[in-house]
């Protein structure tokens, strides 16, 4: 593990301090000079080979080395009933156990987090436990913050010794019918004639006053020819509305708090009423970030 502290020095340059996982200094770069790149220097020719998808591949003859591993079994939940509550409960439970393990652990062991039905590895397989799927999201962030310490395994129960898989140098694994599968990115081939159908009718964009919502709204108009937009945030953004109208779109602004179910239902009811415009699509980009590294997360966050 190489940890890097990045600071700006007086001359405006960037300095880097390099240390190992225990904080022992390894080196220092006094000045890193960055030069602007012009558009011409970048190859901006559109390519059609930059789309990838995830494929689960069988790991041929896994040969794990023995490592010291603890197991955290994630309790099963079902997707019936109150899904958000089940997700919150599962995440809070795993978070607490993860934080306890990190505090107690001696820095050389690994933690194997075991789920069932959290990922679909192909074919007709479905995710059967949405709470466990959310746990994968949490753990994958934890893996970025604590590299080589945590291993995620989604199992169908066909292999006994999951701790033995912790030494495989693979952060995420699935066990299906006694085989060990690993996720790999593979190129997606898109047929040359593949094109999105034209969008007719209004598209609702929440969080339109924010960074992502604004980008999405512009992209819908310029790249997909959307001509009718309904933009939602709590506070209006007149500059965006003007800009989109100049690009030829018809834009309605609806100031609405999307956490207010009644207000949102009234807005959607208006748009989907039999004599209303109908809705061609929804992009939900409203949100408020309150995040932090694993050690500072709370169940509420
Ligand atoms: N930017 C990124 O790179 C990035 C990457 C990954 C994920 N995200 C997530 O994507 C979401 C949007 O990101 P952003 O960067 O665009 O954030 P942002 O610039 O802060 O914009 C958030 C937008 O959501 C609106 N909003 C917040 N709460 C709302 C509510 N209750 N009802 C209606 N509108 C509401 C805000 O407007 P008002 O305050 O006026 O309502 C604002 O227009 C966030 O949840 C963020 O965590 C962002």
């Amino acid at each position: 593990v190489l940890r890097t502290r990045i600071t700006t020095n007086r001359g405006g340059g960037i300095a880097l301090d390099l240390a190992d996982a225990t904080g022992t200094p390894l080196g220092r770069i006094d000045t890193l000079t960055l030069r602007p790149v012009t558009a011409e220097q970048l190859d901006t020719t559109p390519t059609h080979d930059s789309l990838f998808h995830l494929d689960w591949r069988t790991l041929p003859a896994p040969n794990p080395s023995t490592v010291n591993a603890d197991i955290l079994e994630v309790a099963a939940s079902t997707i019936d009933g109150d899904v958000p509550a089940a997700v919150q409960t599962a995440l809070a439970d795993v978070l607490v156990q993860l934080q306890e393990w990190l505090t107690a652990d001696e820095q050389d062991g690994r933690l194997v987090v075991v789920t069932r039905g959290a990922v679909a590895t192909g074919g007709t397989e479905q995710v059967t436990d949405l709470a466990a799927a959310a746990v994968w999201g949490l753990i994958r962030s934890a893996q970025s913050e604590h590299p080589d310490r945590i291993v995620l395994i989604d199992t169908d129960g066909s292999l006994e010794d999951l701790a033995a898989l912790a030494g495989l140098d693979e952060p995420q694994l699935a066990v299906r019918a006694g085989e060990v599968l690993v996720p790999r990115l593979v190129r997606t081939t898109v047929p040359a004639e593949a094109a999105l159908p034209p969008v007719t009718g209004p598209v609702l964009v929440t969080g339109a006053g924010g960074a992502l919502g604004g980008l999405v709204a512009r992209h819908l108009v310029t790249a997909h020819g959307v001509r009718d937009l309904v933009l939602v945030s709590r506070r209006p953004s007149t500059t965006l509305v003007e800009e989109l109208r100049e690009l030829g779109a018809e834009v309605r602004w609806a100031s609405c708090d999307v956490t207010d179910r009644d207000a949102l239902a009234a807005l959607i009811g208006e748009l989907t009423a039999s004599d209303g415009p109908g809705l061609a699509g929804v992009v939900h980009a409203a949100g408020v970030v309150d995040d932090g590294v694993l050690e500072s997360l709370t169940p509420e966050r």
Side-chain angles (χ1 to χ4, degrees):
V1 176
L2 181 69
R3 297 201 188 276
T4 310
R5 181 163 172 266
I6 304 172
T7 44
T8 316
N9 57 30
R10 277 205 201 109
I14 292 170
L16 305 175
D17 289 296
L18 310 173
D20 70 11
T22 64
T24 308
L26 296 176
R28 180 175 164 82
I29 297 167
D30 286 328
T31 309
L32 175 70
T33 308
L34 304 175
R35 292 197 205 97
V37 178
T38 64
E40 292 72 42
Q41 286 172 292
L42 292 174
D43 179 10
T44 52
T45 320
T47 52
H48 296 286
D49 62 354
S50 54
L51 208 53
F52 294 84
H53 67 271
L54 197 71
D55 193 25
W56 288 85
R57 301 264 166 102
T58 306
L59 203 60
N63 189 16
S65 56
T66 311
V67 291
N68 174 17
D70 296 315
I71 300 268
L72 192 171
E73 292 249 12
V74 177
S77 65
T78 55
I79 47 178
D80 300 334
D82 190 345
V83 176
V87 169
Q88 279 164 8
T89 305
L91 289 179
D93 186 46
V94 170
L95 175 65
V96 169
Q97 297 191 62
L98 205 52
Q99 287 172 332
E100 283 173 4
W101 182 79
L102 284 169
T103 312
D105 184 62
E106 312 252 314
Q107 295 289 320
D108 62 345
R110 287 188 197 172
L111 181 67
V112 177
V113 180
V114 181
T115 60
R116 281 171 183 259
V119 293
T121 59
T124 55
E125 200 176 298
Q126 301 272 346
V127 170
T128 53
D129 189 338
L130 286 182
V135 167
W136 268 61
L138 174 69
I139 298 293
R140 292 199 306 172
S141 292
Q143 288 176 326
S144 311
E145 291 170 26
H146 299 274
D148 303 328
R149 307 293 321 284
I150 309 168
V151 179
L152 257 174
I153 304 180
D154 191 78
T155 182
D156 61 1
S158 59
L159 269 191
E160 287 289 318
D161 189 6
L162 295 181
L165 302 180
L168 278 178
D169 207 19
E170 291 283 347
Q172 292 140 32
L173 300 156
V175 173
R176 296 291 185 270
E179 293 200 316
V180 179
L181 311 182
V182 286
R184 294 286 184 262
L185 277 185
V186 291
R187 226 173 259 288
T188 303
T189 43
V190 184
E193 70 276 10
L196 292 172
V199 182
T200 47
V203 178
L204 175 78
V205 181
T206 73
L212 292 188
L215 285 172
V216 165
R218 273 184 212 99
H219 183 74
L220 286 171
V221 172
T222 54
H224 296 287
V226 171
R227 284 289 161 267
D228 192 354
L229 282 167
V230 183
L231 305 183
V232 173
S233 280
R234 290 166 298 186
R235 289 158 298 175
S237 166
T238 39
T239 45
L240 178 68
V241 173
E242 280 165 20
E243 185 191 331
L244 295 171
R245 283 185 181 146
E246 274 170 27
L247 290 169
E250 187 187 309
V251 185
R252 281 166 284 169
W253 188 280
S255 293
C256 173
D257 182 341
V258 296
T259 64
D260 179 339
R261 292 184 83 94
D262 294 340
L264 189 60
L267 172 66
I268 294 190
E270 204 180 294
L271 295 168
T272 54
S274 52
D275 58 345
L279 263 184
V282 175
V283 181
H284 181 44
V288 177
V289 190
D290 179 20
D291 56 4
V293 293
L294 199 65
E295 285 85 343
S296 67
L297 280 188
T298 59
E300 291 71 31
R301 294 176 99 184

PDB file of all heavy atoms in Angstrom, residues 94 122 124 129 149 178 183 201 243 253 261 275:
ATOM      1  N   VAL A  94     -23.717  -4.686   9.003  1.00  0.00           N
ATOM      2  CA  VAL A  94     -22.392  -5.000   8.439  1.00  0.00           C
ATOM      3  C   VAL A  94     -21.400  -3.883   8.780  1.00  0.00           C
ATOM      4  O   VAL A  94     -20.239  -4.151   9.109  1.00  0.00           O
ATOM      5  CB  VAL A  94     -22.498  -5.207   6.908  1.00  0.00           C
ATOM      6  CG1 VAL A  94     -21.128  -5.278   6.269  1.00  0.00           C
ATOM      7  CG2 VAL A  94     -23.282  -6.477   6.616  1.00  0.00           C
ATOM      8  N   GLY A 122     -24.817 -14.549 -14.298  1.00  0.00           N
ATOM      9  CA  GLY A 122     -25.029 -14.829 -15.725  1.00  0.00           C
ATOM     10  C   GLY A 122     -26.223 -15.715 -15.953  1.00  0.00           C
ATOM     11  O   GLY A 122     -26.876 -16.165 -15.012  1.00  0.00           O
ATOM     12  N   THR A 124     -29.742 -17.064 -16.475  1.00  0.00           N
ATOM     13  CA  THR A 124     -31.037 -16.586 -15.981  1.00  0.00           C
ATOM     14  C   THR A 124     -30.976 -16.247 -14.492  1.00  0.00           C
ATOM     15  O   THR A 124     -32.002 -15.966 -13.872  1.00  0.00           O
ATOM     16  CB  THR A 124     -32.108 -17.674 -16.171  1.00  0.00           C
ATOM     17  OG1 THR A 124     -31.639 -18.864 -15.533  1.00  0.00           O
ATOM     18  CG2 THR A 124     -32.379 -17.945 -17.637  1.00  0.00           C
ATOM     19  N   ASP A 129     -31.413 -11.153  -3.170  1.00  0.00           N
ATOM     20  CA  ASP A 129     -31.355 -10.463  -1.877  1.00  0.00           C
ATOM     21  C   ASP A 129     -30.830  -9.037  -2.113  1.00  0.00           C
ATOM     22  O   ASP A 129     -29.622  -8.815  -2.197  1.00  0.00           O
ATOM     23  CB  ASP A 129     -30.430 -11.246  -0.935  1.00  0.00           C
ATOM     24  CG  ASP A 129     -30.499 -10.711   0.488  1.00  0.00           C
ATOM     25  OD1 ASP A 129     -30.899  -9.541   0.660  1.00  0.00           O
ATOM     26  OD2 ASP A 129     -30.148 -11.459   1.419  1.00  0.00           O
ATOM     27  N   ARG A 149      -7.479  -6.300   2.172  1.00  0.00           N
ATOM     28  CA  ARG A 149      -7.854  -6.729   3.521  1.00  0.00           C
ATOM     29  C   ARG A 149      -9.188  -7.474   3.545  1.00  0.00           C
ATOM     30  O   ARG A 149      -9.453  -8.252   4.439  1.00  0.00           O
ATOM     31  CB  ARG A 149      -7.993  -5.502   4.461  1.00  0.00           C
ATOM     32  CG  ARG A 149      -6.811  -4.557   4.522  1.00  0.00           C
ATOM     33  CD  ARG A 149      -5.579  -5.165   5.149  1.00  0.00           C
ATOM     34  NE  ARG A 149      -5.857  -6.003   6.279  1.00  0.00           N
ATOM     35  CZ  ARG A 149      -6.175  -5.551   7.497  1.00  0.00           C
ATOM     36  NH1 ARG A 149      -6.230  -4.262   7.727  1.00  0.00           N
ATOM     37  NH2 ARG A 149      -6.401  -6.389   8.473  1.00  0.00           N
ATOM     38  N   GLY A 178     -20.037 -25.431  -6.939  1.00  0.00           N
ATOM     39  CA  GLY A 178     -18.697 -25.911  -6.599  1.00  0.00           C
ATOM     40  C   GLY A 178     -17.568 -25.214  -7.345  1.00  0.00           C
ATOM     41  O   GLY A 178     -16.398 -25.486  -7.108  1.00  0.00           O
ATOM     42  N   PRO A 183     -15.255 -11.768 -11.337  1.00  0.00           N
ATOM     43  CA  PRO A 183     -15.789 -10.794 -12.299  1.00  0.00           C
ATOM     44  C   PRO A 183     -14.676 -10.221 -13.183  1.00  0.00           C
ATOM     45  O   PRO A 183     -13.607  -9.872 -12.685  1.00  0.00           O
ATOM     46  CB  PRO A 183     -16.372  -9.696 -11.393  1.00  0.00           C
ATOM     47  CG  PRO A 183     -15.592  -9.798 -10.120  1.00  0.00           C
ATOM     48  CD  PRO A 183     -15.097 -11.213  -9.998  1.00  0.00           C
ATOM     49  N   GLY A 201     -42.226  13.135 -26.229  1.00  0.00           N
ATOM     50  CA  GLY A 201     -42.864  13.394 -24.939  1.00  0.00           C
ATOM     51  C   GLY A 201     -41.849  13.953 -23.959  1.00  0.00           C
ATOM     52  O   GLY A 201     -40.640  13.931 -24.203  1.00  0.00           O
ATOM     53  N   GLU A 243     -30.747  28.674 -21.112  1.00  0.00           N
ATOM     54  CA  GLU A 243     -29.789  28.007 -22.004  1.00  0.00           C
ATOM     55  C   GLU A 243     -30.477  26.908 -22.822  1.00  0.00           C
ATOM     56  O   GLU A 243     -30.279  26.798 -24.034  1.00  0.00           O
ATOM     57  CB  GLU A 243     -28.666  27.424 -21.147  1.00  0.00           C
ATOM     58  CG  GLU A 243     -27.559  26.805 -21.952  1.00  0.00           C
ATOM     59  CD  GLU A 243     -26.597  26.003 -21.080  1.00  0.00           C
ATOM     60  OE1 GLU A 243     -26.420  26.330 -19.889  1.00  0.00           O
ATOM     61  OE2 GLU A 243     -26.047  25.024 -21.614  1.00  0.00           O
ATOM     62  N   TRP A 253     -40.282  24.405 -15.451  1.00  0.00           N
ATOM     63  CA  TRP A 253     -39.608  24.221 -14.169  1.00  0.00           C
ATOM     64  C   TRP A 253     -40.655  23.931 -13.105  1.00  0.00           C
ATOM     65  O   TRP A 253     -41.649  24.648 -12.990  1.00  0.00           O
ATOM     66  CB  TRP A 253     -38.805  25.460 -13.776  1.00  0.00           C
ATOM     67  CG  TRP A 253     -37.989  25.140 -12.561  1.00  0.00           C
ATOM     68  CD1 TRP A 253     -38.422  25.122 -11.277  1.00  0.00           C
ATOM     69  CD2 TRP A 253     -36.651  24.696 -12.529  1.00  0.00           C
ATOM     70  NE1 TRP A 253     -37.426  24.692 -10.441  1.00  0.00           N
ATOM     71  CE2 TRP A 253     -36.318  24.417 -11.188  1.00  0.00           C
ATOM     72  CE3 TRP A 253     -35.660  24.494 -13.515  1.00  0.00           C
ATOM     73  CZ2 TRP A 253     -35.070  23.969 -10.796  1.00  0.00           C
ATOM     74  CZ3 TRP A 253     -34.418  24.053 -13.125  1.00  0.00           C
ATOM     75  CH2 TRP A 253     -34.131  23.796 -11.778  1.00  0.00           C
ATOM     76  N   ARG A 261     -43.521  13.150  -0.545  1.00  0.00           N
ATOM     77  CA  ARG A 261     -44.232  12.199  -1.412  1.00  0.00           C
ATOM     78  C   ARG A 261     -45.474  12.817  -2.030  1.00  0.00           C
ATOM     79  O   ARG A 261     -45.760  12.592  -3.204  1.00  0.00           O
ATOM     80  CB  ARG A 261     -44.655  10.958  -0.606  1.00  0.00           C
ATOM     81  CG  ARG A 261     -43.509  10.106  -0.167  1.00  0.00           C
ATOM     82  CD  ARG A 261     -44.014   8.866   0.543  1.00  0.00           C
ATOM     83  NE  ARG A 261     -44.379   7.824  -0.412  1.00  0.00           N
ATOM     84  CZ  ARG A 261     -43.548   6.844  -0.806  1.00  0.00           C
ATOM     85  NH1 ARG A 261     -42.330   6.806  -0.337  1.00  0.00           N
ATOM     86  NH2 ARG A 261     -43.938   5.948  -1.651  1.00  0.00           N
ATOM     87  N   ASP A 275     -55.210  13.909 -19.852  1.00  0.00           N
ATOM     88  CA  ASP A 275     -55.089  15.023 -20.802  1.00  0.00           C
ATOM     89  C   ASP A 275     -53.724  15.714 -20.645  1.00  0.00           C
ATOM     90  O   ASP A 275     -53.470  16.761 -21.216  1.00  0.00           O
ATOM     91  CB  ASP A 275     -56.221  16.035 -20.575  1.00  0.00           C
ATOM     92  CG  ASP A 275     -56.230  16.574 -19.145  1.00  0.00           C
ATOM     93  OD1 ASP A 275     -55.549  15.958 -18.294  1.00  0.00           O
ATOM     94  OD2 ASP A 275     -56.887  17.607 -18.898  1.00  0.00           O
TER      95      ASP A 275
END
